[in-house]
PDB file of all heavy atoms in Angstrom:
ATOM      1  N   PHE Z 877      35.114 132.625 113.487  1.00  0.00           N
ATOM      2  CA  PHE Z 877      34.550 133.851 114.076  1.00  0.00           C
ATOM      3  C   PHE Z 877      35.249 135.031 113.416  1.00  0.00           C
ATOM      4  O   PHE Z 877      36.468 135.101 113.384  1.00  0.00           O
ATOM      5  CB  PHE Z 877      34.768 133.872 115.589  1.00  0.00           C
ATOM      6  CG  PHE Z 877      34.163 135.084 116.256  1.00  0.00           C
ATOM      7  CD1 PHE Z 877      32.803 135.148 116.524  1.00  0.00           C
ATOM      8  CD2 PHE Z 877      34.958 136.177 116.603  1.00  0.00           C
ATOM      9  CE1 PHE Z 877      32.238 136.266 117.122  1.00  0.00           C
ATOM     10  CE2 PHE Z 877      34.405 137.299 117.203  1.00  0.00           C
ATOM     11  CZ  PHE Z 877      33.043 137.349 117.467  1.00  0.00           C
ATOM     12  N   SER Z 882      36.874 146.022 117.638  1.00  0.00           N
ATOM     13  CA  SER Z 882      37.667 145.608 118.803  1.00  0.00           C
ATOM     14  C   SER Z 882      39.084 145.188 118.413  1.00  0.00           C
ATOM     15  O   SER Z 882      39.528 144.081 118.682  1.00  0.00           O
ATOM     16  CB  SER Z 882      36.963 144.511 119.602  1.00  0.00           C
ATOM     17  OG  SER Z 882      36.690 143.357 118.844  1.00  0.00           O
ATOM     18  N   PRO Z 888      42.912 137.358 122.608  1.00  0.00           N
ATOM     19  CA  PRO Z 888      42.080 137.130 123.799  1.00  0.00           C
ATOM     20  C   PRO Z 888      40.809 136.319 123.527  1.00  0.00           C
ATOM     21  O   PRO Z 888      40.470 135.417 124.314  1.00  0.00           O
ATOM     22  CB  PRO Z 888      41.736 138.546 124.272  1.00  0.00           C
ATOM     23  CG  PRO Z 888      42.888 139.376 123.800  1.00  0.00           C
ATOM     24  CD  PRO Z 888      43.296 138.779 122.481  1.00  0.00           C
ATOM     25  N   ILE Z 889      40.111 136.593 122.421  1.00  0.00           N
ATOM     26  CA  ILE Z 889      38.889 135.823 122.123  1.00  0.00           C
ATOM     27  C   ILE Z 889      39.255 134.351 121.918  1.00  0.00           C
ATOM     28  O   ILE Z 889      38.607 133.453 122.461  1.00  0.00           O
ATOM     29  CB  ILE Z 889      38.168 136.402 120.887  1.00  0.00           C
ATOM     30  CG1 ILE Z 889      37.618 137.803 121.189  1.00  0.00           C
ATOM     31  CG2 ILE Z 889      37.027 135.479 120.444  1.00  0.00           C
ATOM     32  CD1 ILE Z 889      37.104 138.554 119.960  1.00  0.00           C
ATOM     33  N   GLY Z 892      39.905 132.679 125.170  1.00  0.00           N
ATOM     34  CA  GLY Z 892      38.661 132.364 125.887  1.00  0.00           C
ATOM     35  C   GLY Z 892      38.024 131.090 125.361  1.00  0.00           C
ATOM     36  O   GLY Z 892      37.588 130.224 126.138  1.00  0.00           O
ATOM     37  N   VAL Z 893      37.990 130.941 124.032  1.00  0.00           N
ATOM     38  CA  VAL Z 893      37.437 129.714 123.446  1.00  0.00           C
ATOM     39  C   VAL Z 893      38.300 128.518 123.867  1.00  0.00           C
ATOM     40  O   VAL Z 893      37.789 127.459 124.240  1.00  0.00           O
ATOM     41  CB  VAL Z 893      37.371 129.811 121.901  1.00  0.00           C
ATOM     42  CG1 VAL Z 893      36.886 128.495 121.295  1.00  0.00           C
ATOM     43  CG2 VAL Z 893      36.457 130.957 121.463  1.00  0.00           C
ATOM     44  N   ALA Z 896      37.556 127.487 127.361  1.00  0.00           N
ATOM     45  CA  ALA Z 896      36.226 126.886 127.513  1.00  0.00           C
ATOM     46  C   ALA Z 896      36.160 125.493 126.901  1.00  0.00           C
ATOM     47  O   ALA Z 896      35.398 124.646 127.361  1.00  0.00           O
ATOM     48  CB  ALA Z 896      35.171 127.793 126.869  1.00  0.00           C
ATOM     49  N   GLN Z 897      36.958 125.251 125.843  1.00  0.00           N
ATOM     50  CA  GLN Z 897      36.890 123.965 125.139  1.00  0.00           C
ATOM     51  C   GLN Z 897      38.304 123.400 124.965  1.00  0.00           C
ATOM     52  O   GLN Z 897      38.867 123.434 123.864  1.00  0.00           O
ATOM     53  CB  GLN Z 897      36.212 124.148 123.775  1.00  0.00           C
ATOM     54  CG  GLN Z 897      34.803 124.722 123.896  1.00  0.00           C
ATOM     55  CD  GLN Z 897      33.917 124.403 122.704  1.00  0.00           C
ATOM     56  OE1 GLN Z 897      34.377 123.977 121.649  1.00  0.00           O
ATOM     57  NE2 GLN Z 897      32.620 124.608 122.879  1.00  0.00           N
ATOM     58  N   GLN Z 914      47.939 144.966 121.460  1.00  0.00           N
ATOM     59  CA  GLN Z 914      47.567 144.153 122.631  1.00  0.00           C
ATOM     60  C   GLN Z 914      48.677 143.137 122.943  1.00  0.00           C
ATOM     61  O   GLN Z 914      48.420 141.950 123.140  1.00  0.00           O
ATOM     62  CB  GLN Z 914      46.245 143.445 122.328  1.00  0.00           C
ATOM     63  CG  GLN Z 914      45.425 143.014 123.538  1.00  0.00           C
ATOM     64  CD  GLN Z 914      44.840 144.137 124.338  1.00  0.00           C
ATOM     65  OE1 GLN Z 914      45.053 144.243 125.547  1.00  0.00           O
ATOM     66  NE2 GLN Z 914      44.097 145.008 123.688  1.00  0.00           N
ATOM     67  N   GLY Z 916      50.334 142.601 125.525  1.00  0.00           N
ATOM     68  CA  GLY Z 916      50.213 141.939 126.830  1.00  0.00           C
ATOM     69  C   GLY Z 916      49.491 140.611 126.739  1.00  0.00           C
ATOM     70  O   GLY Z 916      49.699 139.720 127.570  1.00  0.00           O
ATOM     71  N   ALA Z 917      48.644 140.464 125.714  1.00  0.00           N
ATOM     72  CA  ALA Z 917      47.898 139.207 125.553  1.00  0.00           C
ATOM     73  C   ALA Z 917      48.854 138.026 125.387  1.00  0.00           C
ATOM     74  O   ALA Z 917      48.546 136.911 125.807  1.00  0.00           O
ATOM     75  CB  ALA Z 917      46.952 139.306 124.355  1.00  0.00           C
ATOM     76  N   THR Z 920      49.853 136.932 128.790  1.00  0.00           N
ATOM     77  CA  THR Z 920      48.751 136.232 129.458  1.00  0.00           C
ATOM     78  C   THR Z 920      48.657 134.795 128.937  1.00  0.00           C
ATOM     79  O   THR Z 920      48.494 133.845 129.711  1.00  0.00           O
ATOM     80  CB  THR Z 920      47.420 136.974 129.227  1.00  0.00           C
ATOM     81  OG1 THR Z 920      47.568 138.314 129.685  1.00  0.00           O
ATOM     82  CG2 THR Z 920      46.273 136.308 129.983  1.00  0.00           C
ATOM     83  N   PRO Z1008      26.949 140.776 112.790  1.00  0.00           N
ATOM     84  CA  PRO Z1008      27.545 140.211 114.003  1.00  0.00           C
ATOM     85  C   PRO Z1008      26.677 139.187 114.729  1.00  0.00           C
ATOM     86  O   PRO Z1008      27.196 138.165 115.192  1.00  0.00           O
ATOM     87  CB  PRO Z1008      27.813 141.435 114.898  1.00  0.00           C
ATOM     88  CG  PRO Z1008      27.152 142.593 114.242  1.00  0.00           C
ATOM     89  CD  PRO Z1008      26.912 142.246 112.810  1.00  0.00           C
ATOM     90  N   ARG Z1012      27.965 135.342 115.398  1.00  0.00           N
ATOM     91  CA  ARG Z1012      28.068 134.770 116.750  1.00  0.00           C
ATOM     92  C   ARG Z1012      27.195 133.529 116.907  1.00  0.00           C
ATOM     93  O   ARG Z1012      27.612 132.512 117.451  1.00  0.00           O
ATOM     94  CB  ARG Z1012      27.703 135.840 117.792  1.00  0.00           C
ATOM     95  CG  ARG Z1012      28.142 135.537 119.202  1.00  0.00           C
ATOM     96  CD  ARG Z1012      27.009 135.030 120.072  1.00  0.00           C
ATOM     97  NE  ARG Z1012      25.797 135.778 119.835  1.00  0.00           N
ATOM     98  CZ  ARG Z1012      24.595 135.229 119.769  1.00  0.00           C
ATOM     99  NH1 ARG Z1012      24.438 133.939 119.941  1.00  0.00           N
ATOM    100  NH2 ARG Z1012      23.530 135.973 119.523  1.00  0.00           N
ATOM    101  N   VAL Z1021      27.798 124.642 121.227  1.00  0.00           N
ATOM    102  CA  VAL Z1021      27.276 125.254 122.447  1.00  0.00           C
ATOM    103  C   VAL Z1021      25.769 125.491 122.321  1.00  0.00           C
ATOM    104  O   VAL Z1021      25.034 125.437 123.304  1.00  0.00           O
ATOM    105  CB  VAL Z1021      28.020 126.580 122.740  1.00  0.00           C
ATOM    106  CG1 VAL Z1021      27.395 127.340 123.889  1.00  0.00           C
ATOM    107  CG2 VAL Z1021      29.484 126.277 123.043  1.00  0.00           C
TER     108      VAL Z1021
ATOM    109  N   THR K  74      46.463 141.739 131.343  1.00  0.00           N
ATOM    110  CA  THR K  74      47.284 142.948 131.320  1.00  0.00           C
ATOM    111  C   THR K  74      46.444 144.200 131.097  1.00  0.00           C
ATOM    112  O   THR K  74      46.865 145.291 131.447  1.00  0.00           O
ATOM    113  CB  THR K  74      48.366 142.860 130.214  1.00  0.00           C
ATOM    114  OG1 THR K  74      47.724 142.806 128.931  1.00  0.00           O
ATOM    115  CG2 THR K  74      49.228 141.623 130.399  1.00  0.00           C
ATOM    116  N   ARG K  75      45.264 144.028 130.489  1.00  0.00           N
ATOM    117  CA  ARG K  75      44.338 145.144 130.264  1.00  0.00           C
ATOM    118  C   ARG K  75      42.908 144.641 130.416  1.00  0.00           C
ATOM    119  O   ARG K  75      42.640 143.467 130.184  1.00  0.00           O
ATOM    120  CB  ARG K  75      44.493 145.722 128.845  1.00  0.00           C
ATOM    121  CG  ARG K  75      45.809 146.442 128.582  1.00  0.00           C
ATOM    122  CD  ARG K  75      45.840 147.048 127.180  1.00  0.00           C
ATOM    123  NE  ARG K  75      44.802 148.054 126.964  1.00  0.00           N
ATOM    124  CZ  ARG K  75      44.837 149.305 127.420  1.00  0.00           C
ATOM    125  NH1 ARG K  75      45.886 149.718 128.112  1.00  0.00           N
ATOM    126  NH2 ARG K  75      43.856 150.138 127.193  1.00  0.00           N
ATOM    127  N   GLU K  78      41.440 143.134 127.233  1.00  0.00           N
ATOM    128  CA  GLU K  78      41.882 141.762 127.012  1.00  0.00           C
ATOM    129  C   GLU K  78      40.960 140.802 127.784  1.00  0.00           C
ATOM    130  O   GLU K  78      40.516 139.777 127.246  1.00  0.00           O
ATOM    131  CB  GLU K  78      43.326 141.653 127.511  1.00  0.00           C
ATOM    132  CG  GLU K  78      44.022 140.386 127.183  1.00  0.00           C
ATOM    133  CD  GLU K  78      45.260 140.174 128.053  1.00  0.00           C
ATOM    134  OE1 GLU K  78      45.708 141.106 128.751  1.00  0.00           O
ATOM    135  OE2 GLU K  78      45.768 139.047 128.034  1.00  0.00           O
ATOM    136  N   GLY K  81      37.744 140.391 125.999  1.00  0.00           N
ATOM    137  CA  GLY K  81      37.876 139.486 124.849  1.00  0.00           C
ATOM    138  C   GLY K  81      37.877 138.029 125.296  1.00  0.00           C
ATOM    139  O   GLY K  81      37.217 137.183 124.680  1.00  0.00           O
ATOM    140  N   ILE K  82      38.581 137.734 126.355  1.00  0.00           N
ATOM    141  CA  ILE K  82      38.649 136.358 126.866  1.00  0.00           C
ATOM    142  C   ILE K  82      37.252 135.886 127.285  1.00  0.00           C
ATOM    143  O   ILE K  82      36.832 134.773 126.948  1.00  0.00           O
ATOM    144  CB  ILE K  82      39.649 136.269 128.042  1.00  0.00           C
ATOM    145  CG1 ILE K  82      41.077 136.511 127.530  1.00  0.00           C
ATOM    146  CG2 ILE K  82      39.547 134.910 128.748  1.00  0.00           C
ATOM    147  CD1 ILE K  82      42.101 136.760 128.623  1.00  0.00           C
ATOM    148  N   GLY K  85      35.120 135.099 124.197  1.00  0.00           N
ATOM    149  CA  GLY K  85      35.452 133.791 123.622  1.00  0.00           C
ATOM    150  C   GLY K  85      34.939 132.658 124.500  1.00  0.00           C
ATOM    151  O   GLY K  85      34.388 131.670 124.009  1.00  0.00           O
ATOM    152  N   ALA K  86      35.104 132.809 125.795  1.00  0.00           N
ATOM    153  CA  ALA K  86      34.676 131.757 126.719  1.00  0.00           C
ATOM    154  C   ALA K  86      33.158 131.578 126.661  1.00  0.00           C
ATOM    155  O   ALA K  86      32.659 130.443 126.641  1.00  0.00           O
ATOM    156  CB  ALA K  86      35.125 132.083 128.138  1.00  0.00           C
ATOM    157  N   MET K  88      31.164 132.174 124.148  1.00  0.00           N
ATOM    158  CA  MET K  88      30.811 131.505 122.896  1.00  0.00           C
ATOM    159  C   MET K  88      31.203 130.036 122.930  1.00  0.00           C
ATOM    160  O   MET K  88      30.591 129.208 122.265  1.00  0.00           O
ATOM    161  CB  MET K  88      31.459 132.228 121.710  1.00  0.00           C
ATOM    162  CG  MET K  88      30.901 133.635 121.526  1.00  0.00           C
ATOM    163  SD  MET K  88      31.385 134.426 119.976  1.00  0.00           S
ATOM    164  CE  MET K  88      33.142 134.622 120.185  1.00  0.00           C
ATOM    165  N   GLY K  89      32.210 129.715 123.753  1.00  0.00           N
ATOM    166  CA  GLY K  89      32.633 128.331 123.911  1.00  0.00           C
ATOM    167  C   GLY K  89      31.897 127.594 125.017  1.00  0.00           C
ATOM    168  O   GLY K  89      32.194 126.437 125.286  1.00  0.00           O
ATOM    169  N   THR K  91      31.389 128.722 128.409  1.00  0.00           N
ATOM    170  CA  THR K  91      31.771 128.975 129.800  1.00  0.00           C
ATOM    171  C   THR K  91      31.407 130.411 130.180  1.00  0.00           C
ATOM    172  O   THR K  91      31.721 131.347 129.442  1.00  0.00           O
ATOM    173  CB  THR K  91      33.280 128.755 130.002  1.00  0.00           C
ATOM    174  OG1 THR K  91      33.574 127.374 129.784  1.00  0.00           O
ATOM    175  CG2 THR K  91      33.724 129.134 131.415  1.00  0.00           C
ATOM    176  N   SER K 111      31.864 147.578 120.150  1.00  0.00           N
ATOM    177  CA  SER K 111      32.177 146.906 118.886  1.00  0.00           C
ATOM    178  C   SER K 111      32.199 145.388 119.018  1.00  0.00           C
ATOM    179  O   SER K 111      32.197 144.684 118.006  1.00  0.00           O
ATOM    180  CB  SER K 111      33.527 147.400 118.344  1.00  0.00           C
ATOM    181  OG  SER K 111      34.572 147.058 119.221  1.00  0.00           O
ATOM    182  N   PHE K 116      27.635 141.683 119.066  1.00  0.00           N
ATOM    183  CA  PHE K 116      27.662 140.221 118.993  1.00  0.00           C
ATOM    184  C   PHE K 116      26.770 139.576 120.060  1.00  0.00           C
ATOM    185  O   PHE K 116      26.767 138.363 120.208  1.00  0.00           O
ATOM    186  CB  PHE K 116      29.104 139.703 119.087  1.00  0.00           C
ATOM    187  CG  PHE K 116      29.913 139.950 117.828  1.00  0.00           C
ATOM    188  CD1 PHE K 116      30.703 141.077 117.694  1.00  0.00           C
ATOM    189  CD2 PHE K 116      29.861 139.057 116.767  1.00  0.00           C
ATOM    190  CE1 PHE K 116      31.440 141.314 116.531  1.00  0.00           C
ATOM    191  CE2 PHE K 116      30.597 139.269 115.609  1.00  0.00           C
ATOM    192  CZ  PHE K 116      31.378 140.408 115.483  1.00  0.00           C
ATOM    193  N   GLN K 117      26.049 140.411 120.815  1.00  0.00           N
ATOM    194  CA  GLN K 117      25.057 139.933 121.800  1.00  0.00           C
ATOM    195  C   GLN K 117      25.679 138.990 122.837  1.00  0.00           C
ATOM    196  O   GLN K 117      25.256 137.849 123.014  1.00  0.00           O
ATOM    197  CB  GLN K 117      23.901 139.229 121.085  1.00  0.00           C
ATOM    198  CG  GLN K 117      23.215 140.135 120.074  1.00  0.00           C
ATOM    199  CD  GLN K 117      22.128 139.422 119.289  1.00  0.00           C
ATOM    200  OE1 GLN K 117      22.207 138.223 119.056  1.00  0.00           O
ATOM    201  NE2 GLN K 117      21.101 140.167 118.897  1.00  0.00           N
ATOM    202  N   GLN K 179      20.761 138.316 126.291  1.00  0.00           N
ATOM    203  CA  GLN K 179      22.057 138.338 125.580  1.00  0.00           C
ATOM    204  C   GLN K 179      22.644 139.742 125.552  1.00  0.00           C
ATOM    205  O   GLN K 179      23.051 140.238 124.498  1.00  0.00           O
ATOM    206  CB  GLN K 179      21.907 137.799 124.157  1.00  0.00           C
ATOM    207  CG  GLN K 179      21.291 136.413 124.105  1.00  0.00           C
ATOM    208  CD  GLN K 179      21.244 135.877 122.686  1.00  0.00           C
ATOM    209  OE1 GLN K 179      22.104 135.119 122.288  1.00  0.00           O
ATOM    210  NE2 GLN K 179      20.256 136.265 121.928  1.00  0.00           N
TER     211      GLN K 179
END
Side-chain angles (χ1 to χ4, degrees):
Chain Z
F877 182 79
S882 58
I889 293 170
V893 176
Q897 302 203 346
Q914 203 68 235
T920 304
R1012 197 258 318 139
V1021 173
Chain K
T74 64
R75 292 183 62 77
E78 189 198 348
I82 293 167
M88 294 191 294
T91 295
S111 64
F116 287 94
Q117 302 176 330
Q179 305 184 98

